[in-house]
Structures are given as C-alpha cells and as structure tokens.
Amino acid sequence: MNYVEQLRQKIGHDPVILVGSVVLVVQNEHILLEQRNEAQARFGLPGGLMEWAESPEETARRELKEETGLEVERLTLLNVYSGPQYVTTLTNGDIFQSVTLAYIGEHPIGMLKQSDESIKLQFVPLDDLPDHLVGSHARMIEDYKTAAK
C-alpha cells in the first residue's frame, strides 16, 4: 500500500494536499506522452505522486522509470503548479489539491517500455498535441514551448 492509500485510510474523503512531479521529455520538437489506462484514456506527461521521505526530483525520476523505462541525465525545474484550479474531486468522493513540480528531463537514456498504467507511449509533435490531454499537462507543455522560444 502506498503513502496516499495509507493516508486515505486515516482521513477518508477529507480534502488533502498532494505533491507530485511530472517530466517533459522532448526530442526533436516531439514530446513523450503516455496514454493513460483510465476510463477517459487521456494523454499526459509521465509522473505521479510523491511517496513518504522522497524528494520531488526522486519522484520524477522514479515515475519516469516506472512508466516509460527511461532515465534522464538531468532534471531542470520548469515550474510549480497549484492553486484553486488544481482542486479535484474524484468519482469516489476523495478531494485533493495537487502541487505539481514539472521538470524538463534532459538526455533520456534507455528504451521505451510501457507499464500497466499506460495504453501506449509515444513521442508526438509539440505543435500537434492530442485533443484528450490532461488539462494541467497542456498548460505545462505550453509553458515549456514559451520558455523554449
């Protein structure tokens, strides 16, 4: 059982702040997206929630490896995303506000390997993103494109 599951056993559906990290892996004007194994089958950035006694950078590296099989030589912080627009109520009644650290993953190493959390992994052109993209991830990608100009 992971940290969030343990926490939910104690607090039920009460609001909680959860910290997570995502990684933008960009090569040749293409970004790595993961089509998630969820009802909406949305595309998003590799990432997830922080575990107990883990740093945001460690979370980013762990989640990237678990979900894609890739590692990166360096992580550079793009931005931190939080606020009222990041409050979510899940279908099971859990309420949370996310604090997400978005990193640019530089010099990926390894072979893409899909996890059971994904329907597929693919590099897509930065100027031709899929329609079913996690909303907050779309903003992060736009911020990356603006910063890269």
Side-chain angles (χ1 to χ4, degrees):
M1 181 179 317
N2 68 32
Y3 173 71
V4 175
E5 291 169 335
Q6 291 174 358
L7 186 61
R8 281 291 174 203
Q9 281 190 337
K10 295 177 182 176
I11 66 168
H13 300 296
D14 288 352
V16 64
I17 297 170
L18 299 175
V19 180
S21 298
V22 297
V23 182
L24 291 84
V25 178
V26 180
Q27 290 185 310
N28 303 319
E29 299 298 314
H30 287 67
I31 189 162
L32 178 60
L33 295 179
E34 162 186 30
Q35 189 172 19
R36 293 164 178 236
N37 190 3
E38 62 177 11
Q40 301 122 315
R42 296 174 298 172
F43 285 88
L45 299 165
L49 296 174
M50 187 184 304
E51 292 292 338
W52 181 254
E54 187 176 55
S55 73
E57 295 87 358
E58 290 168 333
T59 301
R61 289 183 184 282
R62 175 182 52 78
E63 289 286 347
L64 181 65
K65 180 74 172 174
E66 288 175 2
E67 295 178 4
T68 71
L70 297 178
E71 297 180 49
V72 290
E73 289 183 13
R74 184 173 54 206
L75 291 172
T76 302
L77 182 65
L78 173 66
N79 206 345
V80 179
Y81 299 85
S82 193
Q85 67 272 33
Y86 295 92
V87 173
T88 302
T89 302
L90 300 176
T91 56
N92 69 357
D94 288 354
I95 302 168
F96 68 95
Q97 176 182 334
S98 61
V99 178
T100 304
L101 288 82
Y103 291 95
I104 301 164
E106 299 177 48
H107 309 292
I109 304 164
M111 300 289 291
L112 277 181
K113 181 181 176 190
Q114 183 176 310
S115 77
D116 60 356
E117 294 181 40
S118 306
I119 296 170
K120 68 179 168 181
L121 294 169
Q122 67 185 84
F123 280 91
V124 300
L126 279 166
D127 59 359
D128 190 22
L129 299 173
D131 292 332
H132 292 356
L133 188 62
V134 174
S136 61
H137 294 189
R139 177 173 176 207
M140 295 168 191
I141 294 168
E142 288 305 315
D143 287 352
Y144 168 82
K145 288 164 54 175
T146 299
K149 288 182 181 177

